[in-house]
Amino acid sequence: MQRALLQFSNPKNYNLVYGNLVSIIQGNFKLDSISLINLEGEVKFYYDRDMSSQNLRTVQEESWFQDTIEGSGRAFILPPHQNIYTDKEEEVVSVCRAIIDPYNDKIAGVLKIDQDISTFMRIFDSVDRSEGEINLVYDETGRLFYMNESMLPQNAEKLFQLTEKKGGWQDNWMYNNQKFIIAEGQSSNNGYKVVSLTPEQDVKEQARFIRIINTWTAIILTALCIGIALMISTTINKPIKKLKDSMVEFREGNLGIQVEVNRN
């Protein structure tokens, strides 16, 4: 990538570098655009799947650009935002990292890969979830940018504040005259917080189903253990009883008694 920034100034290498960068987007339909930015914040290369045009604005004053440079190669995941150097109005989520020259360990620029919010939502919509479950995703500032069901903004904000006060599983939360169990988790990489609302009745039914399964499993295992114990007991006791009966007859004078021995 460091060479890519340099090779853009050489017309002979432009097509090769262009093809390599474009193939990253064209080969992965979960990604939508890619940018190469030099240390002055100038966007030297930009390709978008929707063929959006690029303007002359720089990103040198953008906080994410400064953080990426200072991160010295560490990847940064950005919350939903607009690229100021394009005419695209749709927000994107991005991964960016500084490009390090392996020969002198100096930073040459920044690589930025974007995913449109619509792509993010489409992927998140495909996640398996329970019937009636509501999922919400907030960025690290508490701004809601995804939910699979409509909710008033004040309710979404109230829910976020509730999860900030308490972590993990929460008490019941009333919404649309229905009780929900709240579960939440936050990514340490990007600060995204995912909140799940599961109808309390569904949780109770699942718990009841699990209890029934556990009860029947215990009954079946107990029956199997009793059956195995009876089979072992019969296998051992039967030849012992035969031997005992033979000894009684022998004691009573039946000297011709024979005891059959099964060696299997």
Side-chain angles (χ1 to χ4, degrees):
M1 288 301 175
Q2 185 267 348
R3 292 182 179 180
L5 281 169
L6 297 178
Q7 289 174 343
F8 274 114
S9 61
N10 188 337
K12 295 182 179 180
N13 296 321
Y14 182 89
N15 289 336
L16 175 62
V17 177
Y18 177 90
N20 290 335
L21 294 175
V22 169
S23 66
I24 296 176
I25 302 302
Q26 293 181 341
N28 190 333
F29 287 96
K30 294 181 180 180
L31 305 177
D32 293 291
S33 58
I34 186 170
S35 308
L36 276 180
I37 308 167
N38 66 14
L39 292 178
E40 287 71 41
E42 299 172 345
V43 181
K44 290 303 199 179
F45 173 82
Y46 173 74
Y47 175 79
D48 180 77
R49 191 185 300 279
D50 298 329
M51 305 305 294
S52 302
S53 60
Q54 176 186 345
N55 57 45
L56 299 178
R57 297 184 64 179
T58 69
V59 297
Q60 190 171 24
E61 302 301 324
E62 295 285 312
S63 59
W64 63 263
F65 180 74
Q66 299 296 333
D67 291 340
T68 304
I69 295 296
E70 294 173 2
S72 301
R74 183 163 61 92
F76 284 85
I77 302 178
L78 307 183
H81 63 284
Q82 284 185 320
N83 284 329
I84 64 172
Y85 51 87
T86 74
D87 63 354
K88 191 171 186 176
E89 295 182 357
E90 183 177 5
E91 290 189 327
V92 297
V93 291
S94 309
V95 177
C96 52
R97 64 180 303 169
I99 304 169
I100 309 296
D101 187 342
Y103 298 102
N104 56 24
D105 291 332
K106 292 183 178 180
I107 298 175
V110 170
L111 172 69
K112 184 172 183 284
I113 300 178
D114 305 320
Q115 181 184 78
D116 292 346
I117 281 293
S118 58
T119 304
F120 176 89
M121 290 183 176
R122 185 174 67 250
I123 295 172
F124 212 94
D125 282 337
S126 66
V127 175
D128 292 335
R129 54 174 60 89
S130 304
E131 184 177 356
E133 180 181 348
I134 302 175
N135 297 131
L136 304 93
V137 182
Y138 302 85
D139 65 19
E140 58 185 356
T141 66
R143 185 169 70 101
L144 176 69
F145 64 92
Y146 171 84
M147 59 180 170
N148 62 321
E149 289 194 14
S150 60
M151 179 181 293
L152 293 175
Q154 56 265 34
N155 289 331
E157 183 179 356
K158 179 180 177 182
L159 180 60
F160 178 80
Q161 292 174 352
L162 179 61
T163 59
E164 286 289 285
K165 294 178 181 178
K166 303 178 181 178
W169 289 89
Q170 309 291 331
D171 296 332
N172 296 336
W173 192 61
M174 290 295 299
Y175 177 67
N176 283 348
N177 298 321
Q178 187 177 7
K179 287 185 178 180
F180 287 88
I181 300 296
I182 306 174
E184 58 95 4
Q186 189 163 11
S187 170
S188 58
N189 293 325
N190 52 36
Y192 293 172
K193 174 178 285 190
V194 179
V195 178
S196 295
L197 302 177
T198 305
E200 183 186 49
Q201 187 61 34
D202 290 353
V203 175
K204 290 181 178 180
E205 290 178 0
Q206 292 174 6
R208 179 174 174 274
F209 176 76
I210 292 173
R211 285 198 299 269
I212 292 174
I213 293 297
N214 289 341
T215 300
W216 278 106
T217 301
I219 292 173
I220 292 172
L221 289 176
T222 301
L224 285 174
C225 290
I226 292 175
I228 293 172
L230 290 175
M231 183 179 66
I232 294 175
S233 176
T234 301
T235 303
I236 296 174
N237 290 337
K238 188 174 181 180
I240 293 176
K241 186 176 184 300
K242 284 185 178 181
L243 180 60
K244 178 182 177 183
D245 293 342
S246 299
M247 292 179 64
V248 170
E249 291 190 32
F250 183 79
R251 186 180 61 188
E252 292 177 351
N254 185 2
L255 302 180
I257 187 68
Q258 294 184 347
V259 180
E260 182 181 349
V261 178
N262 188 355
R263 298 181 180 274
N264 294 329

